[in-house]
Each structure stands twice: as C-alpha cells, then as structure tokens.
Amino acid sequence: MKTTTAPESFQYRGEIRGQIDWQGTVKTRARAGRLDEPLFVCMQPEEHYNIDENLVLKRLLTIIHEIVTDDLAYALDNPEGYDWLNEWVMPHTGGSGRGVESAAEMLDRIYEQNIYLQRINVADTDITDRTIESVKRSRSQFYQDAAVLLDRYRQLMNHELDSTEARDILNHTLIAPANTDTLFGTVLGVPRT
C-alpha cells in the first residue's frame, strides 16, 4: 500500500529514538527550566496512509463491502435462484490454506481486519471528482482501476448513464422486497392492505 513519509518530532525522557533535533531539545529543556535534564526531541519518520490513492481505494472498498454485506445479504443467505452470485457464495480456499470461505466472507474479513486498510480514514474526507481524476493518472494500475470504478459508481448513483448501460444494469439488478405482497400489489395497482 502506497504511503508518504514525513519527519515528526517526539519528546523522550532519558532515551533517544531517531535523529536528535538539538535546537528543539535545547528549547524544550529551557522551557522546563533544566538544561541538564535528560529530555530529548527526536525526529522520526512517520508514515501517512491518507493519500489520494488510498482514500479512493478505501472509499471504493467501503461501498463494495456495504453492498455485499447489507444490500445483498438476503441473496447471500438464500443463494438459490441467484446463480450470478455463485462466485461470492461458493466456498473456496483460494490457495491460502486458511480454510474454506466464500468471496463475501473473505471480503468481510479483509475489510474488517486488514491493518493497513484500518489506518486509512475516509470518514471525514470528501473525495472530490478532481481527486478521482488525479488517481486515474496514478502510476499504479491498481489505483487507476479503483478510481475508474468509483467514478463509474458515482455516475450510476447520479443517473448519468446511457440507455445501453441502464439496460445492462437493470438486467443484473436484484430486487428483494421485505414483503412480497407489497411488491405485487404495487405492480398490479392494488392498494396495500
């Protein structure tokens, strides 16, 4: 996962970790009033994960995770009749030797437990169209693909698609109402009881 590194200063008492910032150390000791105290300000590289590429990737994975765990929950729990979901439902090892799990279970496990994904915080971040366009020009094909998919998802949610795309989406749309009487009553024009 791509990161950026920036030096951060930390104060240590009686130990040194990283490169000593002598100017910061002298100022800190002077503020404390003890120039002979074993207080050191050290510079250490700090990795930052909230870069544009990772933000776009995490937002896309969050959307996919929500769709699979929330919107498709009924179909995943009752896969009969939803053959197009076989890749998500059918258990397989994937060569990892971790045991048998479906793609939906694997997505959930990775999304919830991957330490690198957890370090990316998209909650307070607005991912703009400009950010997506920037990531589409990334050197990594992986990030480019994520940006294209996120852009396409946004277009779909904003109803910005042509008739061929709309037809394709409707051919692959899952409709699973909570109450089948409501669906058929609404379609037939019969008032709900």
Side-chain angles (χ1 to χ4, degrees), residues 62-73 153:
T62 300
I63 291 167
I64 293 170
H65 185 259
E66 288 172 359
I67 289 170
V68 170
T69 57
D70 298 340
D71 299 338
L72 295 178
Y153 175 79

Side-chain angles (χ1 to χ4, degrees), residues 3-42:
T3 60
T4 59
T5 306
E8 301 277 334
S9 59
F10 298 95
Q11 290 183 13
Y12 296 102
R13 182 173 304 280
E15 63 181 310
I16 298 172
R17 295 186 185 177
Q19 181 180 2
I20 298 174
D21 175 5
W22 287 109
Q23 185 177 4
T25 298
V26 171
K27 284 182 183 179
T28 302
R29 288 180 180 181
R31 271 185 256 154
R34 298 187 191 150
L35 293 175
D36 59 342
E37 190 169 340
L39 187 65
F40 297 96
V41 175
C42 300

Side-chain angles (χ1 to χ4, degrees), residues 98-117:
R98 289 184 186 259
V100 179
E101 66 181 356
S102 68
E105 293 167 336
M106 184 177 11
L107 171 68
D108 189 49
R109 177 179 52 79
I110 291 171
Y111 183 81
E112 296 295 337
Q113 297 176 3
N114 185 285
I115 60 171
Y116 301 108
L117 282 176

Side-chain angles (χ1 to χ4, degrees), residues 60 64 136 144-155:
L60 177 66
I64 293 170
K136 282 182 183 179
Q144 288 176 13
D145 292 345
V148 168
L149 289 172
L150 183 60
D151 187 39
R152 182 164 167 85
Y153 175 79
R154 284 184 169 187
Q155 288 174 358

Side-chain angles (χ1 to χ4, degrees), residues 79-87:
E80 203 165 302
Y82 300 108
D83 295 338
W84 55 273
L85 275 174
N86 283 345
E87 291 295 321

Side-chain angles (χ1 to χ4, degrees), residues 66-165:
E66 288 172 359
I67 289 170
V68 170
T69 57
D70 298 340
D71 299 338
L72 295 178
Y74 175 82
L76 292 173
D77 293 339
N78 307 297
E80 203 165 302
Y82 300 108
D83 295 338
W84 55 273
L85 275 174
N86 283 345
E87 291 295 321
W88 286 97
V89 178
M90 301 307 287
H92 54 80
T93 61
S96 66
R98 289 184 186 259
V100 179
E101 66 181 356
S102 68
E105 293 167 336
M106 184 177 11
L107 171 68
D108 189 49
R109 177 179 52 79
I110 291 171
Y111 183 81
E112 296 295 337
Q113 297 176 3
N114 185 285
I115 60 171
Y116 301 108
L117 282 176
Q118 299 309 313
R119 292 177 183 172
I120 303 168
N121 184 12
V122 293
D124 300 328
T125 307
D126 183 34
I127 298 175
T128 64
D129 292 339
R130 179 180 284 174
T131 303
I132 292 173
E133 291 302 317
S134 168
V135 175
K136 282 182 183 179
R137 294 185 300 273
S138 173
R139 290 183 179 175
S140 168
Q141 185 66 44
F142 180 67
Y143 289 117
Q144 288 176 13
D145 292 345
V148 168
L149 289 172
L150 183 60
D151 187 39
R152 182 164 167 85
Y153 175 79
R154 284 184 169 187
Q155 288 174 358
L156 293 174
M157 293 296 103
N158 292 329
H159 309 289
E160 298 170 358
L161 44 129
D162 61 30
S163 61
T164 306
E165 287 177 314

